Amino acid sequence: CPAPSALRTANGTRICAQLYTDNSPYYDQCCAGEVLVVDPGDDVPYMPRGWGNSISSLVVGTRCELTVWSRTGKRGKTRRFGA
């Protein structure tokens, strides 16, 4: 997985989080598969098509916090992730 401080686009813009579809009990094989990028300030009450219940691993950048909900439309229980 990338280090939280290394989350940047090709042009150097900061990324707040990267979500991945594949995970593994072996650390060097985590953070694989499809990647969903979360930019600073993104507010997404509904996951993009095909991403619901498919995220297996994630990395949150420094100075960012990712809040997720158990139900669509920002309902249900919440969980917060940081670097």
Side-chain angles (χ1 to χ4, degrees), residues 1-4 23-32 57-59:
C1 294
N23 193 10
S24 170
Y26 302 104
Y27 184 77
D28 62 337
Q29 296 174 15
C30 289
C31 300
S57 53
L58 59 89
V59 176

Side-chain angles (χ1 to χ4, degrees), residues 25-82:
Y26 302 104
Y27 184 77
D28 62 337
Q29 296 174 15
C30 289
C31 300
E34 299 287 323
V35 179
L36 180 63
V37 173
V38 180
D39 292 318
D42 277 357
D43 184 12
V44 183
Y46 299 95
M47 292 299 290
R49 183 178 290 283
W51 279 90
N53 295 323
S54 66
I55 296 170
S56 295
S57 53
L58 59 89
V59 176
V60 179
T62 54
R63 299 187 332 256
C64 285
E65 183 176 83
L66 177 69
T67 303
V68 297
W69 287 264
S70 62
R71 301 201 178 272
T72 61
K74 296 183 179 180
R75 294 182 308 212
K77 296 179 182 179
T78 61
R79 176 127 189 222
R80 293 173 189 229
F81 298 91

